[in-house]
Amino acid sequence: EAQVTQNPRYLITVTGKKLTVTCSQNMNHEYMSWYRQDPGLGLRQIYYSMNVEVTDKGDVPEGYKVSRKEKRNFPLILESPSPNQTSLYFCASSLGHRNSPLHFGNGTRLTVT
Amino acid sequence: DAKTTQPPSMDCAEGRAANLPCNHSTISGNEYVYWYRQIHSQGPQYIIHGLKNNETNEMASLIITEDRKSSTLILPHATLRDTAVYYCIVRDTGTASKLTFGTGTRLQVTL
């Protein structure tokens, strides 16, 4: 089944403790992206990647890192999480051209205390 | 990418057509119009997209005005399961790049 898989689904951590949220897709998509969703603010793009080893900042990249060492994986790294990064996170992928829909994962709900 | 404007909320009676508008007055000739929806806190679900012509699939129809400055998503026979937040976005040329979702329209389908 074609899908975008995020792990974990839920994560509670403490301020400053490094964490990684994984994202994997099995559709051979070039484009991958991370979003965060907060009440009243909609979906905001954190980082995106056009292909392996190519990443770029979205609208809210501060406090996050990403890597794209292989096509299928696009992990989101929080080196030193803070409470304002408590949010619902979504990973998405597509073929990368404008005539290609995004496929979203089921989300990761992160709480930083 | 061009910005979009949607009403924050709409109601629709079950069984009736739901017509969700979207304004994208600064859209360029290469940008597609996409619609997604999000039910509760699930991942957004792709519905339909188009460039110039009207489109229809098993979920919905998309009507794009001739000047492409606005579009309407039509759910022909809304059900309670169509209650969701609907996002209209425009997508730039082959580089994909940034995609701005905005806050969408919350559609409430009622009995």
Side-chain angles (χ1 to χ4, degrees), chain A residues 44-88:
Chain A
R44 294 181 293 168
Q45 192 173 40
I46 303 171
Y47 269 95
Y48 62 95
S49 169
M50 296 302 303
N51 214 322
V52 176
E53 302 293 357
V54 180
T55 63
D56 211 341
K57 296 178 181 178
D59 295 316
V60 288
E62 295 77 22
Y64 304 95
K65 285 177 56 177
V66 292
S67 70
R68 189 89 182 274
K69 292 183 169 54
E70 44 187 347
K71 202 172 194 178
R72 63 182 292 122
N73 296 322
F74 190 46
L76 180 69
I77 303 156
L78 285 72
E79 295 268 3
S80 183
S82 62
N84 64 13
Q85 292 178 299
T86 292
S87 188
L88 179 58

Side-chain angles (χ1 to χ4, degrees), chain A residues 1-5 24-27 93:
Chain A
E1 180 188 352
Q3 59 185 1
V4 178
T5 303
S24 178
Q25 49 91 8
N26 62 1
M27 296 168 279
S93 73

Side-chain angles (χ1 to χ4, degrees), chain B residues 31-58:
Chain B
E31 290 179 312
Y32 279 75
V33 179
Y34 277 79
W35 284 84
Y36 293 82
R37 73 180 182 183
Q38 187 177 24
I39 298 172
H40 297 300
S41 296
Q42 298 175 19
Q45 176 190 23
Y46 164 76
I47 302 173
I48 198 168
H49 73 286
L51 183 62
K52 294 179 183 177
N53 300 321
N54 298 335
E55 302 288 344
T56 295
N57 63 20
E58 64 278 4

